[in-house]
Amino acid sequence: MKPTPRWTALVFALLALPALAAPQIQDWRAASGARVLFVAAHENPIVDVQLSFDAGNRRDPADKPGVAELTLGLLDAGTATLGEEAVREKLTDLAASVSGSVDADSATLTLRVLARPEVREPAVALLAELVARPAFPDAVLRRERERSVDSLRQRETDPGFLAGRELSRLMYPAHPYGLGARLSADSLRRIGRADLLAFWRTYYRPESAVVAIVGDLTRAEAERLAERLLAGLPTGRPAPAALPGVSMQAAGRLRVIAHPASQAHVVMGLPMITRHDPDYYALMAGNYVLGGGGFDARLMRELRDRRGLTYGASSSLAPLEGAGPFELAFSTRKDKVGEALAVARATVADFVANGPSEAELAQAKANIVGGFPLRFDSNRKLLGYLGVIGRYELPLTFLGDYPARIAALTVADVRDAWRRRLDPARLDTVVVGPTSLDAPGEPGGMTR
């Protein structure tokens, strides 16, 4: 099928957009060894700062998953001189906010504060103290540990969570990327204060830190902020072990988990994409066509529109330092799961064999390129991209390169990348809901 004139015209119009739409990123190395990325934004008197370390949950001890998240979560629980309440009061007095998150590759702290020096500088000093002198109080650890146990138990009632966790276990059975899927109430309760201290000493290294700054600052002010933020952390700690490679299974596995939910929840996936993947753009554009484009995507058309088997189906790619996952997910009636699985697999196999049509790729380009500026249209969104660029050492031109590289793709580029990278027979599959699964074309009725 050929692209319509409307889509063709839109793609050419988007290609003509000026490259100056991408922000001007400045970067340098702080004296501590940290990478610093800065974008001056003087429209509002706000400064946003993101500080990240190579301290994601892939760094958890193998027998104690959960240490990375508890370490980050307790950084604001007090220092040698400040208790938990004192930290909160200081942040309130400064009208500042501090938040944090942990993913597979990194642990991240984010500060938002007014740009005025009389509030900005004390807020930065407080964040620096939290990072460099955490107390990890036993009482707070016990409280947060139990909260984590309660949260885990609640999530374990959700069939979608159970499906995702089991899929991660299948995709990364012996790799650090699978550690988060092995979290349990028992592993959480084994974590003590000494574990947090050891993790902090090992992985909160200034040499691995990335500081992203967006806001109403000069370059000189941003340099001073970055230096102050990490000044209390000792340098020269040994670098942790490099991330091992991800092994691919020879054939996909099927897991069926009984659950009383009214519908069956299905997830499929395999390790696939890295941040520096040579097929990065072709894989991203192809995923939009296959399942990432909402109602435009093939999985939605085949499973929902043509057969009424689901309310929604999607696919996603999660690029990481190592091979991050390609996943697809949908829910369906328990008595229809065999049919829905067969349709999903056939849709993936057809896409891998033949790639997108010209019209599908033109539409994907128009949506990806046209919507790309909205991904960094606020300081906070831009801050996240700076952190990614710094963490994975992507080119400073990444935000300008992305739409240009997507727009330059051909059907052959996308088809050839997906043919080489995705073998449908290697997709692991998890079904949560029915007690067993025996359908034509399915690999048996494995149950658990």
Side-chain angles (χ1 to χ4, degrees):
M1 183 168 63
K2 294 182 178 180
T4 64
R6 179 170 65 91
W7 286 119
T8 303
L10 183 53
V11 170
F12 280 112
L14 292 167
L15 279 168
L17 289 174
L20 294 177
Q24 301 302 303
I25 303 171
Q26 303 177 56
D27 83 314
W28 63 91
R29 288 281 174 185
S32 62
R35 176 98 183 267
V36 185
L37 297 97
F38 168 56
V39 172
H42 301 296
E43 295 82 4
N44 296 300
I46 299 288
V47 174
D48 289 287
V49 181
Q50 185 187 91
L51 174 61
S52 69
F53 296 92
D54 177 7
N57 54 35
R58 76 182 200 197
R59 297 297 191 183
D60 276 337
D63 61 337
K64 293 181 180 179
V67 170
E69 291 206 19
L70 280 172
T71 300
L72 181 78
L74 266 69
L75 285 179
D76 66 353
T79 68
T81 58
L82 293 171
E84 186 179 26
E85 286 304 315
V87 172
R88 290 177 181 170
E89 289 173 4
K90 277 201 165 193
L91 288 170
T92 300
D93 291 343
L94 295 167
S97 64
V98 172
S99 59
S101 64
V102 175
D103 61 22
D105 286 334
S106 61
T108 300
L109 286 158
T110 303
L111 167 69
R112 166 164 274 209
V113 66
L114 292 171
R116 298 199 315 268
E118 61 268 26
V119 290
R120 182 189 74 225
E121 293 182 6
V124 171
L126 176 59
L127 181 57
E129 184 174 357
L130 296 177
V131 171
R133 303 175 67 192
F136 301 126
D138 280 317
V140 180
L141 172 57
R142 288 193 297 272
R143 182 192 74 203
E144 295 304 313
R145 197 169 51 203
E146 286 308 306
R147 283 183 179 176
S148 296
V149 170
D150 291 342
S151 174
L152 178 62
R153 285 176 171 165
Q154 181 63 34
R155 284 181 288 159
E156 286 177 334
T157 67
D158 177 6
F161 170 80
L162 295 176
R165 182 174 69 178
E166 186 64 21
L167 181 63
S168 183
R169 290 172 176 173
L170 289 174
M171 292 189 295
Y172 303 104
H175 191 273
Y177 282 160
L179 284 171
R182 293 193 277 278
L183 185 73
S184 68
D186 179 62
S187 72
L188 283 166
R189 287 180 170 145
R190 290 201 306 270
I191 297 171
R193 181 173 181 272
D195 298 307
L196 305 191
L197 282 167
F199 189 90
W200 169 77
R201 291 191 183 107
T202 303
Y203 299 111
Y204 280 72
R205 304 167 58 252
E207 295 91 343
S208 78
V210 174
V211 182
I213 306 168
V214 179
D216 189 14
L217 293 174
T218 66
R219 165 67 180 259
E221 288 172 326
E223 289 180 359
R224 288 194 296 270
L225 187 158
E227 295 294 346
R228 186 170 190 182
L229 195 56
L230 295 165
L233 281 170
T235 59
R237 299 178 191 175
L243 181 71
V246 177
S247 299
M248 286 286 293
Q249 300 294 323
R253 281 79 38 94
L254 171 68
R255 293 287 186 271
V256 180
I257 302 174
H259 194 279
S262 59
Q263 289 200 320
H265 292 255
V266 180
V267 291
M268 305 167 69
L270 47 67
M272 190 170 179
I273 186 170
T274 70
R275 278 287 174 185
H276 291 276
D277 203 304
D279 294 318
Y280 182 89
Y281 297 100
L283 293 177
M284 286 294 185
N287 181 68
Y288 184 96
V289 174
L290 177 60
F295 287 100
D296 294 334
R298 280 197 192 181
L299 286 169
M300 283 287 278
R301 292 202 307 270
E302 296 298 330
L303 286 164
R304 176 186 164 121
D305 299 345
R306 294 180 179 173
R307 296 172 177 85
L309 293 169
T310 184
Y311 287 110
S314 63
S315 66
S316 62
L317 286 166
L320 296 170
E321 180 179 331
F326 162 75
E327 298 182 14
L328 67 86
F330 61 90
S331 298
T332 191
R333 281 171 39 186
K334 288 183 177 180
D335 62 331
K336 294 290 187 179
V337 68
E339 179 187 355
L341 264 175
V343 172
R345 285 181 168 147
T347 302
V348 172
D350 178 72
F351 181 78
V352 169
N354 301 307
S357 68
E358 292 283 357
E360 285 175 322
L361 183 57
Q363 185 179 24
K365 288 181 181 183
N367 280 278
I368 295 171
V369 175
F372 193 74
L374 299 178
R375 299 190 189 187
F376 53 91
D377 63 351
S378 71
N379 286 8
R380 283 186 170 176
K381 292 180 185 177
L382 177 56
L383 189 75
Y385 270 105
L386 294 188
V388 167
I389 290 169
R391 170 60 51 205
Y392 297 104
E393 298 186 350
L394 301 176
L396 295 183
T397 56
F398 176 78
L399 294 176
D401 294 344
Y402 196 108
R405 295 288 297 274
I406 291 291
L409 290 168
T410 66
V411 166
D413 294 332
V414 176
R415 181 188 63 236
D416 293 348
W418 280 79
R419 279 181 179 175
R420 285 185 285 101
R421 302 299 299 279
L422 178 59
D423 179 354
R426 288 187 167 188
L427 283 168
D428 289 318
T429 303
V430 180
V431 181
V432 176
T435 56
S436 64
L437 184 64
D438 287 297
E442 296 303 321
M446 298 175 64
T447 60
R448 175 171 177 252

